[in-house]
Amino acid sequence: MSDKTFKILSIDGGGIKGLYSATILKEFEEKFNCQISDYFDMICGTSTGGLIALALALKIPAKDICDFYELEGPKIFPQSKSIPFFGITISRRFMMQMVRGGKYSDKPLRKALEKIFKETKIGDSNNLLCIPSYTITEARTFVFKFDHKEGNLDRDNGAKMVDIALATSAAPTFFPMSEDPYYNNKQFIDGGVWANNPTLVGLLEALTYFVGKGKEYNKLKILSISSLSITGGKPTGLKRNRSFLNWGNDLFETSFTGQSSFSDFFMNKIKTISDIDIDYERIPSVTVARDQESLIQLDVATRKALDLIKGKGKDQADIYKKRSEIIDFFKDKKTYKTK
């Protein structure tokens, strides 16, 4: 049998830092004069990465996705004034995150998503999809997919992309839980609670249905795009007894970064021991300086933060778009057809 390669694009979650991933993809589209959708059989994305994945699968240019973050980000994550609290000063929104119904309303997010996705459904996708979430209703992981014939699937194609984007990005304490009438009002939260880096989700889907002995494809290529992460570490001697007030966004950052790091470690191991030819490439976060950390947060969408995130994405793209292992992803178009 001649070689036939199945290609997957995987995009991490990370809130407004999705602008970093989207900028890298924008630079790739401009460099290779292409649309990302035409070069990957499957696109996987979690949380903000899920939003990007859904948009790419509709052949929305990555440039427009970047514009979405810059225009809508400040509305989705509005800043607030600080207030005194037991001798310290915290933001009013952080107070809401601790004791009320969440840090932000999801109404601006829904309104922004409706602008980009309109009435489109999963069945309108030009690519296979894996969009992780978690259903509180059933207490289990949940992956929204394009209903492909290989799995005899008949579940998600009628679901609205707006609602799927809300379900995968409903980060606990940041946004309300998502409730979707298409799934009998099941409630969902952010897929980042278990698969912030969805590469393993895509790997499992590919090996189950598409790649391997007796299947259509015999080779697998995966390009994984990290979010921008604070990976510089912390000094020793930190306070050991920490409340949510002490942890703040570090609680989520640590969880997301840890899961993403393990997925990368797993992929680098499995590609060396698998009987199937697996080519795996990861574009990581760049280093974030200590004095930049306050701007590189899940929900900081000020002009300074957006410029910093965008600049780091462009710098990383300038490095990776010249590498042969990345160029190779854009030599041949995808072969799997959803339509």
mmCIF file with all atom_site columns, all heavy atoms in Angstrom, residues 46-51 77 109 113 131-133 162-172 174-176 178 188-192:
data_model
loop_
_atom_site.group_PDB
_atom_site.id
_atom_site.type_symbol
_atom_site.label_atom_id
_atom_site.label_alt_id
_atom_site.label_comp_id
_atom_site.label_asym_id
_atom_site.label_entity_id
_atom_site.label_seq_id
_atom_site.pdbx_PDB_ins_code
_atom_site.Cartn_x
_atom_site.Cartn_y
_atom_site.Cartn_z
_atom_site.occupancy
_atom_site.B_iso_or_equiv
_atom_site.pdbx_formal_charge
_atom_site.auth_seq_id
_atom_site.auth_comp_id
_atom_site.auth_asym_id
_atom_site.auth_atom_id
_atom_site.pdbx_PDB_model_num
ATOM 1   N N   . THR A 1 46  ? -9.303  23.240 22.134 1.00 0.00 ? 46  THR A N   1
ATOM 2   C CA  . THR A 1 46  ? -9.959  23.316 23.435 1.00 0.00 ? 46  THR A CA  1
ATOM 3   C C   . THR A 1 46  ? -10.113 24.767 23.861 1.00 0.00 ? 46  THR A C   1
ATOM 4   O O   . THR A 1 46  ? -9.190  25.567 23.701 1.00 0.00 ? 46  THR A O   1
ATOM 5   C CB  . THR A 1 46  ? -9.137  22.563 24.498 1.00 0.00 ? 46  THR A CB  1
ATOM 6   O OG1 . THR A 1 46  ? -9.016  21.201 24.124 1.00 0.00 ? 46  THR A OG1 1
ATOM 7   C CG2 . THR A 1 46  ? -9.806  22.648 25.864 1.00 0.00 ? 46  THR A CG2 1
ATOM 8   N N   . SER A 1 47  ? -11.281 25.083 24.424 1.00 0.00 ? 47  SER A N   1
ATOM 9   C CA  . SER A 1 47  ? -11.532 26.414 24.965 1.00 0.00 ? 47  SER A CA  1
ATOM 10  C C   . SER A 1 47  ? -11.317 27.465 23.874 1.00 0.00 ? 47  SER A C   1
ATOM 11  O O   . SER A 1 47  ? -11.915 27.377 22.813 1.00 0.00 ? 47  SER A O   1
ATOM 12  C CB  . SER A 1 47  ? -10.646 26.651 26.195 1.00 0.00 ? 47  SER A CB  1
ATOM 13  O OG  . SER A 1 47  ? -11.050 27.787 26.916 1.00 0.00 ? 47  SER A OG  1
ATOM 14  N N   . THR A 1 48  ? -10.446 28.427 24.096 1.00 0.00 ? 48  THR A N   1
ATOM 15  C CA  . THR A 1 48  ? -10.199 29.423 23.044 1.00 0.00 ? 48  THR A CA  1
ATOM 16  C C   . THR A 1 48  ? -9.628  28.757 21.801 1.00 0.00 ? 48  THR A C   1
ATOM 17  O O   . THR A 1 48  ? -9.876  29.197 20.674 1.00 0.00 ? 48  THR A O   1
ATOM 18  C CB  . THR A 1 48  ? -9.254  30.532 23.570 1.00 0.00 ? 48  THR A CB  1
ATOM 19  O OG1 . THR A 1 48  ? -9.279  31.633 22.681 1.00 0.00 ? 48  THR A OG1 1
ATOM 20  C CG2 . THR A 1 48  ? -7.827  30.038 23.717 1.00 0.00 ? 48  THR A CG2 1
ATOM 21  N N   . GLY A 1 49  ? -8.887  27.657 21.974 1.00 0.00 ? 49  GLY A N   1
ATOM 22  C CA  . GLY A 1 49  ? -8.409  26.885 20.837 1.00 0.00 ? 49  GLY A CA  1
ATOM 23  C C   . GLY A 1 49  ? -9.545  26.233 20.075 1.00 0.00 ? 49  GLY A C   1
ATOM 24  O O   . GLY A 1 49  ? -9.466  26.023 18.860 1.00 0.00 ? 49  GLY A O   1
ATOM 25  N N   . GLY A 1 50  ? -10.632 25.901 20.794 1.00 0.00 ? 50  GLY A N   1
ATOM 26  C CA  . GLY A 1 50  ? -11.813 25.363 20.140 1.00 0.00 ? 50  GLY A CA  1
ATOM 27  C C   . GLY A 1 50  ? -12.486 26.398 19.266 1.00 0.00 ? 50  GLY A C   1
ATOM 28  O O   . GLY A 1 50  ? -12.969 26.098 18.162 1.00 0.00 ? 50  GLY A O   1
ATOM 29  N N   . LEU A 1 51  ? -12.533 27.631 19.759 1.00 0.00 ? 51  LEU A N   1
ATOM 30  C CA  . LEU A 1 51  ? -13.071 28.730 18.958 1.00 0.00 ? 51  LEU A CA  1
ATOM 31  C C   . LEU A 1 51  ? -12.267 28.872 17.661 1.00 0.00 ? 51  LEU A C   1
ATOM 32  O O   . LEU A 1 51  ? -12.842 28.991 16.571 1.00 0.00 ? 51  LEU A O   1
ATOM 33  C CB  . LEU A 1 51  ? -13.010 30.022 19.771 1.00 0.00 ? 51  LEU A CB  1
ATOM 34  C CG  . LEU A 1 51  ? -13.623 31.303 19.221 1.00 0.00 ? 51  LEU A CG  1
ATOM 35  C CD1 . LEU A 1 51  ? -13.871 32.274 20.362 1.00 0.00 ? 51  LEU A CD1 1
ATOM 36  C CD2 . LEU A 1 51  ? -12.713 31.981 18.183 1.00 0.00 ? 51  LEU A CD2 1
ATOM 37  N N   . PHE A 1 77  ? -13.721 40.463 28.146 1.00 0.00 ? 77  PHE A N   1
ATOM 38  C CA  . PHE A 1 77  ? -12.984 40.534 29.408 1.00 0.00 ? 77  PHE A CA  1
ATOM 39  C C   . PHE A 1 77  ? -12.798 41.993 29.841 1.00 0.00 ? 77  PHE A C   1
ATOM 40  O O   . PHE A 1 77  ? -11.682 42.502 29.857 1.00 0.00 ? 77  PHE A O   1
ATOM 41  C CB  . PHE A 1 77  ? -11.608 39.871 29.273 1.00 0.00 ? 77  PHE A CB  1
ATOM 42  C CG  . PHE A 1 77  ? -11.651 38.414 28.914 1.00 0.00 ? 77  PHE A CG  1
ATOM 43  C CD1 . PHE A 1 77  ? -11.181 37.975 27.676 1.00 0.00 ? 77  PHE A CD1 1
ATOM 44  C CD2 . PHE A 1 77  ? -12.147 37.475 29.806 1.00 0.00 ? 77  PHE A CD2 1
ATOM 45  C CE1 . PHE A 1 77  ? -11.193 36.628 27.355 1.00 0.00 ? 77  PHE A CE1 1
ATOM 46  C CE2 . PHE A 1 77  ? -12.168 36.131 29.496 1.00 0.00 ? 77  PHE A CE2 1
ATOM 47  C CZ  . PHE A 1 77  ? -11.702 35.699 28.265 1.00 0.00 ? 77  PHE A CZ  1
ATOM 48  N N   . LEU A 1 109 ? -19.615 37.385 25.287 1.00 0.00 ? 109 LEU A N   1
ATOM 49  C CA  . LEU A 1 109 ? -18.957 36.311 24.554 1.00 0.00 ? 109 LEU A CA  1
ATOM 50  C C   . LEU A 1 109 ? -19.908 35.720 23.516 1.00 0.00 ? 109 LEU A C   1
ATOM 51  O O   . LEU A 1 109 ? -19.533 35.517 22.361 1.00 0.00 ? 109 LEU A O   1
ATOM 52  C CB  . LEU A 1 109 ? -18.480 35.229 25.525 1.00 0.00 ? 109 LEU A CB  1
ATOM 53  C CG  . LEU A 1 109 ? -17.865 33.973 24.891 1.00 0.00 ? 109 LEU A CG  1
ATOM 54  C CD1 . LEU A 1 109 ? -16.684 34.323 24.007 1.00 0.00 ? 109 LEU A CD1 1
ATOM 55  C CD2 . LEU A 1 109 ? -17.447 32.973 25.974 1.00 0.00 ? 109 LEU A CD2 1
ATOM 56  N N   . LEU A 1 113 ? -19.426 35.727 19.500 1.00 0.00 ? 113 LEU A N   1
ATOM 57  C CA  . LEU A 1 113 ? -19.404 34.470 18.750 1.00 0.00 ? 113 LEU A CA  1
ATOM 58  C C   . LEU A 1 113 ? -20.455 34.457 17.653 1.00 0.00 ? 113 LEU A C   1
ATOM 59  O O   . LEU A 1 113 ? -20.240 33.901 16.570 1.00 0.00 ? 113 LEU A O   1
ATOM 60  C CB  . LEU A 1 113 ? -19.621 33.295 19.700 1.00 0.00 ? 113 LEU A CB  1
ATOM 61  C CG  . LEU A 1 113 ? -18.494 33.010 20.693 1.00 0.00 ? 113 LEU A CG  1
ATOM 62  C CD1 . LEU A 1 113 ? -18.924 31.953 21.708 1.00 0.00 ? 113 LEU A CD1 1
ATOM 63  C CD2 . LEU A 1 113 ? -17.231 32.558 19.971 1.00 0.00 ? 113 LEU A CD2 1
ATOM 64  N N   . ILE A 1 131 ? -13.555 18.771 19.631 1.00 0.00 ? 131 ILE A N   1
ATOM 65  C CA  . ILE A 1 131 ? -13.621 19.941 20.500 1.00 0.00 ? 131 ILE A CA  1
ATOM 66  C C   . ILE A 1 131 ? -13.964 19.463 21.912 1.00 0.00 ? 131 ILE A C   1
ATOM 67  O O   . ILE A 1 131 ? -15.135 19.172 22.209 1.00 0.00 ? 131 ILE A O   1
ATOM 68  C CB  . ILE A 1 131 ? -14.687 20.955 20.014 1.00 0.00 ? 131 ILE A CB  1
ATOM 69  C CG1 . ILE A 1 131 ? -14.528 21.258 18.512 1.00 0.00 ? 131 ILE A CG1 1
ATOM 70  C CG2 . ILE A 1 131 ? -14.623 22.226 20.851 1.00 0.00 ? 131 ILE A CG2 1
ATOM 71  C CD1 . ILE A 1 131 ? -13.243 21.978 18.157 1.00 0.00 ? 131 ILE A CD1 1
ATOM 72  N N   . PRO A 1 132 ? -12.992 19.352 22.809 1.00 0.00 ? 132 PRO A N   1
ATOM 73  C CA  . PRO A 1 132 ? -13.251 18.828 24.159 1.00 0.00 ? 132 PRO A CA  1
ATOM 74  C C   . PRO A 1 132 ? -14.058 19.775 25.040 1.00 0.00 ? 132 PRO A C   1
ATOM 75  O O   . PRO A 1 132 ? -13.898 20.993 24.993 1.00 0.00 ? 132 PRO A O   1
ATOM 76  C CB  . PRO A 1 132 ? -11.842 18.636 24.738 1.00 0.00 ? 132 PRO A CB  1
ATOM 77  C CG  . PRO A 1 132 ? -10.946 18.557 23.558 1.00 0.00 ? 132 PRO A CG  1
ATOM 78  C CD  . PRO A 1 132 ? -11.557 19.493 22.547 1.00 0.00 ? 132 PRO A CD  1
ATOM 79  N N   . SER A 1 133 ? -14.924 19.182 25.843 1.00 0.00 ? 133 SER A N   1
ATOM 80  C CA  . SER A 1 133 ? -15.649 19.877 26.895 1.00 0.00 ? 133 SER A CA  1
ATOM 81  C C   . SER A 1 133 ? -15.836 18.874 28.026 1.00 0.00 ? 133 SER A C   1
ATOM 82  O O   . SER A 1 133 ? -15.257 17.786 28.005 1.00 0.00 ? 133 SER A O   1
ATOM 83  C CB  . SER A 1 133 ? -16.997 20.392 26.361 1.00 0.00 ? 133 SER A CB  1
ATOM 84  O OG  . SER A 1 133 ? -17.671 21.167 27.325 1.00 0.00 ? 133 SER A OG  1
ATOM 85  N N   . VAL A 1 162 ? -21.839 28.312 17.639 1.00 0.00 ? 162 VAL A N   1
ATOM 86  C CA  . VAL A 1 162 ? -21.826 29.273 18.748 1.00 0.00 ? 162 VAL A CA  1
ATOM 87  C C   . VAL A 1 162 ? -21.932 28.539 20.075 1.00 0.00 ? 162 VAL A C   1
ATOM 88  O O   . VAL A 1 162 ? -21.178 28.806 21.025 1.00 0.00 ? 162 VAL A O   1
ATOM 89  C CB  . VAL A 1 162 ? -22.978 30.291 18.614 1.00 0.00 ? 162 VAL A CB  1
ATOM 90  C CG1 . VAL A 1 162 ? -23.156 31.080 19.912 1.00 0.00 ? 162 VAL A CG1 1
ATOM 91  C CG2 . VAL A 1 162 ? -22.710 31.254 17.470 1.00 0.00 ? 162 VAL A CG2 1
ATOM 92  N N   . ASP A 1 163 ? -22.854 27.585 20.152 1.00 0.00 ? 163 ASP A N   1
ATOM 93  C CA  . ASP A 1 163 ? -23.071 26.868 21.404 1.00 0.00 ? 163 ASP A CA  1
ATOM 94  C C   . ASP A 1 163 ? -21.911 25.934 21.735 1.00 0.00 ? 163 ASP A C   1
ATOM 95  O O   . ASP A 1 163 ? -21.566 25.748 22.907 1.00 0.00 ? 163 ASP A O   1
ATOM 96  C CB  . ASP A 1 163 ? -24.380 26.077 21.333 1.00 0.00 ? 163 ASP A CB  1
ATOM 97  C CG  . ASP A 1 163 ? -25.597 26.990 21.280 1.00 0.00 ? 163 ASP A CG  1
ATOM 98  O OD1 . ASP A 1 163 ? -25.543 28.070 21.897 1.00 0.00 ? 163 ASP A OD1 1
ATOM 99  O OD2 . ASP A 1 163 ? -26.585 26.632 20.618 1.00 0.00 ? 163 ASP A OD2 1
ATOM 100 N N   . ILE A 1 164 ? -21.287 25.343 20.718 1.00 0.00 ? 164 ILE A N   1
ATOM 101 C CA  . ILE A 1 164 ? -20.127 24.482 20.956 1.00 0.00 ? 164 ILE A CA  1
ATOM 102 C C   . ILE A 1 164 ? -18.957 25.321 21.474 1.00 0.00 ? 164 ILE A C   1
ATOM 103 O O   . ILE A 1 164 ? -18.241 24.914 22.392 1.00 0.00 ? 164 ILE A O   1
ATOM 104 C CB  . ILE A 1 164 ? -19.719 23.738 19.671 1.00 0.00 ? 164 ILE A CB  1
ATOM 105 C CG1 . ILE A 1 164 ? -20.883 22.906 19.136 1.00 0.00 ? 164 ILE A CG1 1
ATOM 106 C CG2 . ILE A 1 164 ? -18.506 22.853 19.928 1.00 0.00 ? 164 ILE A CG2 1
ATOM 107 C CD1 . ILE A 1 164 ? -21.492 21.964 20.131 1.00 0.00 ? 164 ILE A CD1 1
ATOM 108 N N   . ALA A 1 165 ? -18.772 26.499 20.891 1.00 0.00 ? 165 ALA A N   1
ATOM 109 C CA  . ALA A 1 165 ? -17.696 27.394 21.341 1.00 0.00 ? 165 ALA A CA  1
ATOM 110 C C   . ALA A 1 165 ? -17.913 27.802 22.797 1.00 0.00 ? 165 ALA A C   1
ATOM 111 O O   . ALA A 1 165 ? -16.961 27.879 23.583 1.00 0.00 ? 165 ALA A O   1
ATOM 112 C CB  . ALA A 1 165 ? -17.616 28.622 20.445 1.00 0.00 ? 165 ALA A CB  1
ATOM 113 N N   . LEU A 1 166 ? -19.166 28.062 23.173 1.00 0.00 ? 166 LEU A N   1
ATOM 114 C CA  . LEU A 1 166 ? -19.468 28.408 24.562 1.00 0.00 ? 166 LEU A CA  1
ATOM 115 C C   . LEU A 1 166 ? -19.216 27.221 25.485 1.00 0.00 ? 166 LEU A C   1
ATOM 116 O O   . LEU A 1 166 ? -18.696 27.385 26.591 1.00 0.00 ? 166 LEU A O   1
ATOM 117 C CB  . LEU A 1 166 ? -20.927 28.860 24.685 1.00 0.00 ? 166 LEU A CB  1
ATOM 118 C CG  . LEU A 1 166 ? -21.258 30.254 24.161 1.00 0.00 ? 166 LEU A CG  1
ATOM 119 C CD1 . LEU A 1 166 ? -22.765 30.439 24.077 1.00 0.00 ? 166 LEU A CD1 1
ATOM 120 C CD2 . LEU A 1 166 ? -20.637 31.337 25.045 1.00 0.00 ? 166 LEU A CD2 1
ATOM 121 N N   . ALA A 1 167 ? -19.569 26.024 25.045 1.00 0.00 ? 167 ALA A N   1
ATOM 122 C CA  . ALA A 1 167 ? -19.419 24.838 25.883 1.00 0.00 ? 167 ALA A CA  1
ATOM 123 C C   . ALA A 1 167 ? -17.958 24.512 26.171 1.00 0.00 ? 167 ALA A C   1
ATOM 124 O O   . ALA A 1 167 ? -17.607 24.133 27.290 1.00 0.00 ? 167 ALA A O   1
ATOM 125 C CB  . ALA A 1 167 ? -20.095 23.639 25.218 1.00 0.00 ? 167 ALA A CB  1
ATOM 126 N N   . THR A 1 168 ? -17.102 24.658 25.172 1.00 0.00 ? 168 THR A N   1
ATOM 127 C CA  . THR A 1 168 ? -15.695 24.309 25.372 1.00 0.00 ? 168 THR A CA  1
ATOM 128 C C   . THR A 1 168 ? -14.924 25.383 26.133 1.00 0.00 ? 168 THR A C   1
ATOM 129 O O   . THR A 1 168 ? -13.838 25.131 26.639 1.00 0.00 ? 168 THR A O   1
ATOM 130 C CB  . THR A 1 168 ? -14.998 24.031 24.027 1.00 0.00 ? 168 THR A CB  1
ATOM 131 O OG1 . THR A 1 168 ? -13.688 23.464 24.272 1.00 0.00 ? 168 THR A OG1 1
ATOM 132 C CG2 . THR A 1 168 ? -14.847 25.286 23.188 1.00 0.00 ? 168 THR A CG2 1
ATOM 133 N N   . SER A 1 169 ? -15.502 26.601 26.245 1.00 0.00 ? 169 SER A N   1
ATOM 134 C CA  . SER A 1 169 ? -14.767 27.713 26.854 1.00 0.00 ? 169 SER A CA  1
ATOM 135 C C   . SER A 1 169 ? -15.408 28.243 28.136 1.00 0.00 ? 169 SER A C   1
ATOM 136 O O   . SER A 1 169 ? -15.026 29.312 28.620 1.00 0.00 ? 169 SER A O   1
ATOM 137 C CB  . SER A 1 169 ? -14.623 28.855 25.848 1.00 0.00 ? 169 SER A CB  1
ATOM 138 O OG  . SER A 1 169 ? -15.890 29.303 25.403 1.00 0.00 ? 169 SER A OG  1
ATOM 139 N N   . ALA A 1 170 ? -16.346 27.486 28.704 1.00 0.00 ? 170 ALA A N   1
ATOM 140 C CA  . ALA A 1 170 ? -17.028 27.935 29.927 1.00 0.00 ? 170 ALA A CA  1
ATOM 141 C C   . ALA A 1 170 ? -16.165 27.631 31.149 1.00 0.00 ? 170 ALA A C   1
ATOM 142 O O   . ALA A 1 170 ? -16.456 26.729 31.946 1.00 0.00 ? 170 ALA A O   1
ATOM 143 C CB  . ALA A 1 170 ? -18.390 27.250 30.041 1.00 0.00 ? 170 ALA A CB  1
ATOM 144 N N   . ALA A 1 171 ? -15.107 28.403 31.302 1.00 0.00 ? 171 ALA A N   1
ATOM 145 C CA  . ALA A 1 171 ? -14.132 28.157 32.378 1.00 0.00 ? 171 ALA A CA  1
ATOM 146 C C   . ALA A 1 171 ? -14.770 28.401 33.743 1.00 0.00 ? 171 ALA A C   1
ATOM 147 O O   . ALA A 1 171 ? -15.318 29.485 33.980 1.00 0.00 ? 171 ALA A O   1
ATOM 148 C CB  . ALA A 1 171 ? -12.921 29.069 32.196 1.00 0.00 ? 171 ALA A CB  1
ATOM 149 N N   . PRO A 1 172 ? -14.716 27.411 34.644 1.00 0.00 ? 172 PRO A N   1
ATOM 150 C CA  . PRO A 1 172 ? -15.321 27.574 35.972 1.00 0.00 ? 172 PRO A CA  1
ATOM 151 C C   . PRO A 1 172 ? -14.805 28.815 36.699 1.00 0.00 ? 172 PRO A C   1
ATOM 152 O O   . PRO A 1 172 ? -13.603 29.083 36.701 1.00 0.00 ? 172 PRO A O   1
ATOM 153 C CB  . PRO A 1 172 ? -14.910 26.290 36.699 1.00 0.00 ? 172 PRO A CB  1
ATOM 154 C CG  . PRO A 1 172 ? -14.725 25.282 35.617 1.00 0.00 ? 172 PRO A CG  1
ATOM 155 C CD  . PRO A 1 172 ? -14.147 26.061 34.458 1.00 0.00 ? 172 PRO A CD  1
ATOM 156 N N   . PHE A 1 174 ? -14.927 31.754 35.844 1.00 0.00 ? 174 PHE A N   1
ATOM 157 C CA  . PHE A 1 174 ? -14.774 32.859 34.899 1.00 0.00 ? 174 PHE A CA  1
ATOM 158 C C   . PHE A 1 174 ? -16.099 33.144 34.191 1.00 0.00 ? 174 PHE A C   1
ATOM 159 O O   . PHE A 1 174 ? -16.529 34.290 34.094 1.00 0.00 ? 174 PHE A O   1
ATOM 160 C CB  . PHE A 1 174 ? -13.692 32.554 33.860 1.00 0.00 ? 174 PHE A CB  1
ATOM 161 C CG  . PHE A 1 174 ? -12.293 32.737 34.355 1.00 0.00 ? 174 PHE A CG  1
ATOM 162 C CD1 . PHE A 1 174 ? -11.647 31.719 35.032 1.00 0.00 ? 174 PHE A CD1 1
ATOM 163 C CD2 . PHE A 1 174 ? -11.624 33.932 34.163 1.00 0.00 ? 174 PHE A CD2 1
ATOM 164 C CE1 . PHE A 1 174 ? -10.354 31.881 35.498 1.00 0.00 ? 174 PHE A CE1 1
ATOM 165 C CE2 . PHE A 1 174 ? -10.330 34.112 34.626 1.00 0.00 ? 174 PHE A CE2 1
ATOM 166 C CZ  . PHE A 1 174 ? -9.695  33.087 35.299 1.00 0.00 ? 174 PHE A CZ  1
ATOM 167 N N   . PHE A 1 175 ? -16.722 32.077 33.652 1.00 0.00 ? 175 PHE A N   1
ATOM 168 C CA  . PHE A 1 175 ? -17.970 32.201 32.924 1.00 0.00 ? 175 PHE A CA  1
ATOM 169 C C   . PHE A 1 175 ? -19.017 31.256 33.508 1.00 0.00 ? 175 PHE A C   1
ATOM 170 O O   . PHE A 1 175 ? -18.669 30.241 34.127 1.00 0.00 ? 175 PHE A O   1
ATOM 171 C CB  . PHE A 1 175 ? -17.771 31.863 31.441 1.00 0.00 ? 175 PHE A CB  1
ATOM 172 C CG  . PHE A 1 175 ? -16.953 32.862 30.677 1.00 0.00 ? 175 PHE A CG  1
ATOM 173 C CD1 . PHE A 1 175 ? -15.717 32.525 30.157 1.00 0.00 ? 175 PHE A CD1 1
ATOM 174 C CD2 . PHE A 1 175 ? -17.429 34.149 30.452 1.00 0.00 ? 175 PHE A CD2 1
ATOM 175 C CE1 . PHE A 1 175 ? -14.963 33.432 29.449 1.00 0.00 ? 175 PHE A CE1 1
ATOM 176 C CE2 . PHE A 1 175 ? -16.683 35.075 29.738 1.00 0.00 ? 175 PHE A CE2 1
ATOM 177 C CZ  . PHE A 1 175 ? -15.446 34.719 29.235 1.00 0.00 ? 175 PHE A CZ  1
ATOM 178 N N   . PRO A 1 176 ? -20.292 31.550 33.274 1.00 0.00 ? 176 PRO A N   1
ATOM 179 C CA  . PRO A 1 176 ? -21.337 30.599 33.670 1.00 0.00 ? 176 PRO A CA  1
ATOM 180 C C   . PRO A 1 176 ? -21.179 29.285 32.910 1.00 0.00 ? 176 PRO A C   1
ATOM 181 O O   . PRO A 1 176 ? -20.575 29.246 31.828 1.00 0.00 ? 176 PRO A O   1
ATOM 182 C CB  . PRO A 1 176 ? -22.638 31.300 33.266 1.00 0.00 ? 176 PRO A CB  1
ATOM 183 C CG  . PRO A 1 176 ? -22.286 32.736 33.106 1.00 0.00 ? 176 PRO A CG  1
ATOM 184 C CD  . PRO A 1 176 ? -20.855 32.772 32.665 1.00 0.00 ? 176 PRO A CD  1
ATOM 185 N N   . SER A 1 178 ? -22.230 26.438 30.423 1.00 0.00 ? 178 SER A N   1
ATOM 186 C CA  . SER A 1 178 ? -22.994 26.472 29.182 1.00 0.00 ? 178 SER A CA  1
ATOM 187 C C   . SER A 1 178 ? -24.153 25.486 29.287 1.00 0.00 ? 178 SER A C   1
ATOM 188 O O   . SER A 1 178 ? -24.009 24.400 29.847 1.00 0.00 ? 178 SER A O   1
ATOM 189 C CB  . SER A 1 178 ? -22.085 26.083 28.012 1.00 0.00 ? 178 SER A CB  1
ATOM 190 O OG  . SER A 1 178 ? -22.831 25.855 26.838 1.00 0.00 ? 178 SER A OG  1
ATOM 191 N N   . PHE A 1 188 ? -22.408 22.218 30.333 1.00 0.00 ? 188 PHE A N   1
ATOM 192 C CA  . PHE A 1 188 ? -21.013 21.949 29.991 1.00 0.00 ? 188 PHE A CA  1
ATOM 193 C C   . PHE A 1 188 ? -20.088 22.995 30.604 1.00 0.00 ? 188 PHE A C   1
ATOM 194 O O   . PHE A 1 188 ? -20.491 24.140 30.816 1.00 0.00 ? 188 PHE A O   1
ATOM 195 C CB  . PHE A 1 188 ? -20.825 21.966 28.473 1.00 0.00 ? 188 PHE A CB  1
ATOM 196 C CG  . PHE A 1 188 ? -21.621 20.938 27.719 1.00 0.00 ? 188 PHE A CG  1
ATOM 197 C CD1 . PHE A 1 188 ? -22.879 21.249 27.203 1.00 0.00 ? 188 PHE A CD1 1
ATOM 198 C CD2 . PHE A 1 188 ? -21.122 19.659 27.518 1.00 0.00 ? 188 PHE A CD2 1
ATOM 199 C CE1 . PHE A 1 188 ? -23.616 20.312 26.496 1.00 0.00 ? 188 PHE A CE1 1
ATOM 200 C CE2 . PHE A 1 188 ? -21.844 18.714 26.808 1.00 0.00 ? 188 PHE A CE2 1
ATOM 201 C CZ  . PHE A 1 188 ? -23.095 19.041 26.302 1.00 0.00 ? 188 PHE A CZ  1
ATOM 202 N N   . ILE A 1 189 ? -18.840 22.577 30.838 1.00 0.00 ? 189 ILE A N   1
ATOM 203 C CA  . ILE A 1 189 ? -17.796 23.514 31.240 1.00 0.00 ? 189 ILE A CA  1
ATOM 204 C C   . ILE A 1 189 ? -16.562 23.321 30.358 1.00 0.00 ? 189 ILE A C   1
ATOM 205 O O   . ILE A 1 189 ? -16.486 22.373 29.559 1.00 0.00 ? 189 ILE A O   1
ATOM 206 C CB  . ILE A 1 189 ? -17.420 23.378 32.733 1.00 0.00 ? 189 ILE A CB  1
ATOM 207 C CG1 . ILE A 1 189 ? -16.879 21.978 33.034 1.00 0.00 ? 189 ILE A CG1 1
ATOM 208 C CG2 . ILE A 1 189 ? -18.602 23.731 33.619 1.00 0.00 ? 189 ILE A CG2 1
ATOM 209 C CD1 . ILE A 1 189 ? -16.288 21.850 34.441 1.00 0.00 ? 189 ILE A CD1 1
ATOM 210 N N   . ASP A 1 190 ? -15.620 24.191 30.537 1.00 0.00 ? 190 ASP A N   1
ATOM 211 C CA  . ASP A 1 190 ? -14.400 24.274 29.732 1.00 0.00 ? 190 ASP A CA  1
ATOM 212 C C   . ASP A 1 190 ? -13.687 22.928 29.597 1.00 0.00 ? 190 ASP A C   1
ATOM 213 O O   . ASP A 1 190 ? -13.417 22.248 30.585 1.00 0.00 ? 190 ASP A O   1
ATOM 214 C CB  . ASP A 1 190 ? -13.461 25.284 30.409 1.00 0.00 ? 190 ASP A CB  1
ATOM 215 C CG  . ASP A 1 190 ? -12.372 25.784 29.492 1.00 0.00 ? 190 ASP A CG  1
ATOM 216 O OD1 . ASP A 1 190 ? -11.683 24.959 28.878 1.00 0.00 ? 190 ASP A OD1 1
ATOM 217 O OD2 . ASP A 1 190 ? -12.191 27.013 29.412 1.00 0.00 ? 190 ASP A OD2 1
ATOM 218 N N   . GLY A 1 191 ? -13.361 22.560 28.368 1.00 0.00 ? 191 GLY A N   1
ATOM 219 C CA  . GLY A 1 191 ? -12.608 21.336 28.124 1.00 0.00 ? 191 GLY A CA  1
ATOM 220 C C   . GLY A 1 191 ? -11.207 21.362 28.697 1.00 0.00 ? 191 GLY A C   1
ATOM 221 O O   . GLY A 1 191 ? -10.555 20.318 28.835 1.00 0.00 ? 191 GLY A O   1
ATOM 222 N N   . GLY A 1 192 ? -10.750 22.564 29.078 1.00 0.00 ? 192 GLY A N   1
ATOM 223 C CA  . GLY A 1 192 ? -9.429  22.678 29.668 1.00 0.00 ? 192 GLY A CA  1
ATOM 224 C C   . GLY A 1 192 ? -9.292  21.975 31.009 1.00 0.00 ? 192 GLY A C   1
ATOM 225 O O   . GLY A 1 192 ? -8.175  21.756 31.477 1.00 0.00 ? 192 GLY A O   1
#
